[in-house]
Amino acid sequence: MRFFKIISLFLHPIFMPIISLYLSLKLVPNIGAVITNYFNLIYLIILLCTIILPLICVFFLIKKKLVSSIEMRDYKERSLPLFITAVWMGYGYYKISDILSLAPILKSELIAAISIVFIASFISRYWKISLHMLGAGGVVGVIFSLNILYGGLLDEIMLSIFFSAFLGVARISENAHNHTQVYIGFLVGFLIESVTILFFQNYINNFNLSL
């Protein structure tokens, strides 16, 4: 059980946006070729707005007894922290939007990630969707989309699906979620990321053809 706890910690959804960014730049270097000089700034903003500032807000909510613990096992506690996280992510997007306009895929990734968190905030008012699997599905959606657009990433897709399945087993084994919550979490994260990236890229291509 402790092993599954460690897996859940290392694959926590709060890390998924920065993992997706890293994988995108690592797997398809051409994506970030025009913004190489801004990598440190982008990573810093993503780190602050998806991890550090949301965590500070969660600890504040715990102190005010609006949230019982950082794990938030009661799904009804999750809505406010998720909404605050989405707001911080939106602020981070605003700060680097001009830079990301030079790398549209990265821009669409972040838009999708913000959308996932907003949707999770709404769903969590009524149902305990798996946040871990939302994040894992999002990462798989990113790699899947990159493979469609650039090719050559089938091994990476299979590996990401394996880790996602392993994470799903961990969440069920910890009694944190049931099978339905895990499956739907993964599918929602996957669909939002992949559809957003592919739609955004198709829109850009059509726009360029019309010029």
Side-chain angles (χ1 to χ4, degrees):
M1 187 68 71
R2 183 171 178 79
F3 174 71
F4 288 133
K5 189 81 170 178
I6 293 172
I7 294 298
S8 295
L9 178 62
F10 276 100
L11 297 179
H12 195 279
I14 204 168
F15 301 130
M16 295 306 167
I18 203 163
I19 288 175
S20 294
L21 172 65
Y22 172 79
L23 289 175
S24 298
L25 295 173
K26 185 75 172 178
L27 297 175
V28 190
N30 290 341
I31 290 176
V34 295
I35 57 171
T36 303
N37 295 333
Y38 299 100
F39 280 178
N40 289 339
L41 175 62
I42 293 172
Y43 275 115
L44 176 62
I45 294 296
I46 297 297
L47 181 67
L48 281 173
C49 293
T50 66
I51 300 176
I52 296 175
L53 293 174
L55 278 178
I56 290 173
C57 290
V58 168
F59 288 127
F60 175 80
L61 293 174
I62 292 173
K63 185 175 181 180
K64 293 296 182 179
K65 301 188 183 303
L66 295 173
V67 172
S68 59
S69 70
I70 195 168
E71 292 182 333
M72 293 178 279
R73 288 192 171 270
D74 182 353
Y75 67 90
K76 294 180 180 178
E77 294 180 344
R78 298 179 173 187
S79 184
L80 179 58
L82 285 169
F83 179 78
I84 292 172
T85 300
V87 171
W88 276 123
M89 290 173 70
Y91 175 74
Y93 170 82
Y94 166 75
K95 296 298 290 185
I96 58 176
S97 178
D98 290 342
I99 298 172
L100 293 182
S101 293
L102 302 173
I105 289 180
L106 298 182
K107 189 171 188 175
S108 60
E109 280 184 27
L110 186 52
I111 290 172
I114 296 168
S115 300
I116 289 172
V117 179
F118 264 122
I119 290 172
S121 174
F122 176 76
I123 293 176
S124 294
R125 296 175 61 185
Y126 309 101
W127 191 61
K128 191 180 182 182
I129 193 169
S130 173
L131 302 182
H132 280 77
M133 296 310 293
L134 276 168
V139 173
V140 176
V142 168
I143 299 174
F144 172 81
S145 301
L146 293 178
N147 182 65
I148 288 180
L149 296 171
Y150 296 95
L153 299 177
L154 287 177
D155 290 343
E156 287 77 5
I157 290 175
M158 297 305 298
L159 191 60
S160 65
I161 291 174
F162 170 79
F163 276 111
S164 296
F166 196 58
L167 178 59
V169 170
R171 301 306 290 160
I172 292 170
S173 298
E174 285 186 88
N175 294 318
H177 293 284
N178 59 39
H179 287 79
T180 302
Q181 293 163 351
V182 165
Y183 298 151
I184 292 181
F186 178 85
L187 286 174
V188 170
F190 173 81
L191 288 173
I192 291 176
E193 275 289 356
S194 57
V195 169
T196 302
I197 292 172
L198 295 175
F199 173 82
F200 203 90
Q201 192 64 26
N202 184 61
Y203 172 81
I204 291 171
N205 290 339
N206 290 337
F207 178 78
N208 289 336
L209 286 173
S210 68
L211 294 179

